């Protein structure tokens, strides 16, 4: 037994003492949907050393679980990869006491990197930034709808109103309590949990962490919330837009970029105090249509990007402007200037979190290294402007079709190089399949089909 297997063997007795019978190893597919394998706890040493067998076709699963053969290297069902758990993130689940959880990395059968794996891409991206002197912190705000069960699968809001009120959460008090307790036991740092704007909608914010941990935490938070909901007879929709009649769910990614112990985005109400911080924003803006193709890639994502809904429908940035897709969150004397970060609003649960964060960091750091300068920040909502006023400022709506998103992505050399031909072709294959599924259906029917998928 190798060192990793020996280490895993040392964990087994402790897991058994806690009543853990199995370990669920999780990854996210190209639709942001978590997939998994569960193994008996006693097999953890073998699994940690040699991985779990997983079919290669998961890289070309679409949102409906269809398999989209034809992408280069993914023409047939033949082949196997190994799913290797990250023992550093092994977590006994408070809400599912018989199970532990770990994120997994997919590797080739000889142990080498698998070109379609997403988690390893983020890991290598972070390592590449470190080699150039950069580190990053990421925190997620996760919005979702809490529903009573319904026979037709519709969302029946578990509370109605008032928005942002403690009165609203009284109706789901036990669920909220369990989420907070379970999250702490699972090692998740919760910034806040509150009733959101829409009926039955809540928001949970995760504390900032290194990018790989932040992506892992996003998946673990989903599992934590779903387990608590199941115990209370509730359903949870993480979908970007569960219905046209409901509020959209953004999973806003807050990033900060650091060098030599300094937050390059540090600053106050005037914006970043360094040219590098401004350049980071400029890098995000330059690639924003292509970024959105990765961070908000589904049909539901694009339906959510409606002006006036704090979703970020037009390509601009603003200082504390909640309508801006790229929002600068200022520091202050109370919080400290290092509190500053950039929130990307065009981000949701249909994005693979590892791909999304790798893309965000790649675009932003490219801006820093090229000394880009952003346009002036906008303080108002361009959705209320006349068309000629937006044209005068060079503002365009972000892509609203899969074809437009694909065009923006393939035209962006930074992000196509980041993904590589294998990941890019598989990603586009499932995006095209989803678009084909939606083509002959009413948008409400498409949203209903994917309401509970994420």
């Amino acid at each position: 037994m190798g060192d990793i297997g020996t280490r895993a063997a040392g964990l087994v007795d402790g897991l058994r003492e806690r009543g853990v019978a199995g370990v669920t190893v999780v990854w996210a597919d190209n639709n942001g949907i978590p997939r998994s394998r569960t193994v008996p706890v006693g097999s953890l040493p073998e699994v940690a050393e040699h991985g779990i067998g997983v079919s290669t076709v998961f890289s070309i699963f679409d949102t409906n679980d269809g398999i989209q053969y034809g992408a280069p290297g993914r023409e047939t069902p033949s082949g196997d990869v190994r799913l290797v758990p990250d023992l550093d993130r092994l977590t006994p689940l408070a809400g599912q006491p018989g199970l532990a959880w770990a994120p997994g990395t997919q590797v080739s059968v000889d142990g080498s990197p698998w070109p379609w794996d997403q988690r390893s891409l983020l890991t290598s991206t972070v390592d590449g930034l470190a080699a150039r002197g950069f580190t990053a912190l990421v925190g997620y705000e996760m919005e979702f709808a809490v529903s009573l069960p319904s026979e037709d699968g519709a969302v029946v809001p578990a509370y109605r109103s008032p928005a942002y009120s403690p009165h609203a959460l009284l109706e789901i008090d036990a669920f909220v309590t369990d989420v907070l307790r379970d999250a702490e036991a699972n090692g998740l740092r919760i910034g806040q949990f509150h009733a959101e704007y829409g009926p039955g909608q809540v928001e949970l914010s995760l504390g900032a962490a290194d990018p790989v941990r932040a992506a892992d935490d996003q998946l673990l938070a989903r599992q934590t919330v779903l387990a608590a909901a199941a115990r209370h007879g509730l359903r949870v929709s993480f979908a970007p837009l569960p219905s046209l009649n409901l509020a959209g769910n953004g999973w806003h990614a807050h990033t900060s970029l650091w060098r030599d112990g300094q937050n390059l985005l540090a600053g106050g109400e005037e914006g970043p105090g360094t040219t590098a911080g401004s350049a980071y924003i400029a890098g995000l803006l330059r690639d924003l249509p292509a970024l959105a193709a990765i961070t908000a890639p589904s049909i539901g994502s694009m339906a959510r990007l409606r002006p006036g809904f704090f979703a970020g429908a037009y390509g601009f940035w603003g200082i504390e402007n909640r309508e801006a897709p790229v929002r600068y969150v200022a520091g202050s004397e109370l919080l400290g200037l290092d509190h500053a970060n950039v929130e990307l609003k065009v981000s949701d649960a249909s994005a693979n979190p590892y791909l999304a964060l790798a893309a965000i960091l790649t675009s932003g750091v490219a801006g820093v290294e090229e000394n880009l300068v952003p346009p002036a920040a906008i303080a108002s909502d361009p959705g209320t402007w006349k068309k000629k006023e937006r044209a005068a400022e060079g503002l365009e709506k972000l892509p609203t079709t899969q074809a437009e998103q694909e065009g923006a992505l393939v035209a962006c050399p930074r992000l196509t190089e980041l993904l590589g031909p294998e990941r890019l072709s598989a990603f586009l294959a499932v995006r095209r399949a989803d678009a084909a599924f939606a083509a002959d259906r009413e948008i409400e029917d498409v949203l209903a089909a994917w309401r509970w998928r994420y």
Side-chain angles (χ1 to χ4, degrees):
M1 186 182 296
D3 291 343
I4 294 177
T6 300
R7 180 188 173 196
L11 299 171
V12 170
D13 287 344
L15 291 172
R16 282 178 168 150
E17 288 174 4
R18 298 185 61 153
V20 172
V23 177
T24 298
V25 185
V26 178
W27 75 98
D29 71 7
N30 278 318
N31 316 289
I33 297 173
R35 310 285 183 177
S36 70
R37 290 286 190 269
T38 299
V39 297
V41 67
S43 67
L44 184 61
E46 171 70 16
V47 166
E49 201 157 73
H50 302 295
I52 309 164
V54 172
S55 172
T56 60
V57 302
F58 282 107
S59 63
I60 47 174
F61 260 42
D62 62 30
T63 304
N64 296 309
D65 294 343
I67 302 173
Q68 300 306 316
Y69 297 114
R74 296 276 68 84
E75 295 88 356
T76 74
S78 299
D80 195 38
V81 293
R82 308 301 295 181
L83 178 67
V84 180
D86 184 342
L87 296 182
D88 289 334
R89 294 306 316 270
L90 185 65
T91 303
L93 292 171
Q96 297 171 267
L99 296 173
W101 175 99
T105 299
Q106 298 168 87
V107 301
S108 299
V109 291
D110 62 0
S112 62
W114 193 52
W116 287 268
D117 180 62
Q118 297 97 346
R119 191 171 187 262
S120 59
L121 177 66
L122 179 56
T123 300
S124 63
T125 299
V126 171
D127 290 345
L129 295 183
R132 286 135 65 193
F134 298 104
T135 58
L137 291 175
V138 179
Y140 271 102
E141 293 177 4
M142 303 168 59
E143 296 171 338
F144 51 91
V146 183
S147 173
L148 300 174
S150 61
E151 292 184 2
D152 62 358
V155 175
V156 180
Y159 76 84
R160 285 286 172 181
S161 62
Y164 304 106
S165 172
H167 302 168
L169 294 186
L170 286 173
E171 298 180 59
I172 53 171
D173 179 74
F175 164 70
V176 172
T177 301
D178 274 1
V179 169
L180 293 173
R181 285 176 175 162
D182 291 353
E184 182 176 14
N186 290 346
L188 294 170
R189 293 188 301 113
I190 304 299
Q192 55 181 306
F193 191 112
H194 62 266
E196 251 290 343
Y197 187 76
Q201 188 183 39
V202 299
E203 178 180 292
L204 177 156
S205 64
L206 297 173
D210 73 83
V212 178
R213 185 178 186 91
D216 292 342
D217 283 352
Q218 194 227 69
L219 296 181
L220 179 55
R222 295 195 217 192
Q223 191 72 21
T224 302
V225 169
L226 289 171
R231 290 202 302 278
H232 293 281
L234 299 170
R235 296 195 78 179
V236 166
S237 176
F238 298 130
L241 189 62
S243 168
L244 293 174
N245 299 318
L246 294 171
N249 295 317
W251 284 18
H252 308 154
H254 289 254
T255 60
S256 58
L257 187 69
W258 299 69
R259 185 168 57 194
D260 299 326
Q262 178 189 9
N263 180 0
L264 299 181
L265 289 160
E269 294 181 357
E270 300 302 315
T274 69
T275 55
S278 295
Y280 182 81
I281 291 172
L284 296 178
L285 281 176
R286 175 177 63 177
D287 291 346
L288 190 58
L291 264 179
I294 298 173
T295 62
S298 68
I299 304 300
S301 302
M302 289 174 278
R304 171 182 162 262
L305 297 184
R306 300 170 289 182
F309 283 79
F310 289 4
Y314 292 94
F316 71 102
W317 78 287
I319 299 171
E320 298 291 10
N321 183 348
R322 284 172 169 77
E323 193 64 36
V326 178
R327 171 192 169 216
Y328 178 73
V329 181
S332 67
E333 290 186 11
L334 176 63
L335 297 171
L337 295 181
D338 274 352
H339 172 79
N341 61 82
V342 171
E343 175 189 38
L344 184 73
K345 284 188 171 290
V346 284
S347 170
D348 61 52
S350 68
N352 180 290
Y354 304 102
L355 290 187
L357 295 185
I360 292 168
L361 295 173
T362 294
S363 292
V365 171
V368 175
E369 294 181 331
E370 296 177 39
N371 298 310
L372 298 185
V373 178
I378 293 175
S380 59
D381 175 7
T384 64
W385 299 1
K386 292 182 171 61
K387 187 175 181 180
K388 64 180 181 181
E389 292 174 325
R390 289 193 294 269
E393 294 293 328
L395 293 187
E396 295 184 1
K397 205 161 188 256
L398 293 180
T400 57
T401 68
Q402 184 276 327
E404 290 176 354
Q405 280 199 336
E406 179 173 330
L409 179 55
V410 298
C412 180
R414 287 160 296 282
L415 297 185
T416 54
E417 181 179 354
L418 168 73
L419 296 179
E422 293 89 355
R423 291 186 190 89
L424 178 62
S425 62
F427 181 81
L428 293 179
V430 299
R431 300 278 68 78
R432 292 166 186 161
D434 281 1
F437 170 80
D440 298 324
R441 290 174 169 84
E442 296 294 331
I443 183 62
E444 190 64 51
D445 294 333
V446 176
L447 298 178
W450 299 343
R451 184 173 293 150
W452 311 107
R453 301 294 289 162
Y454 305 103

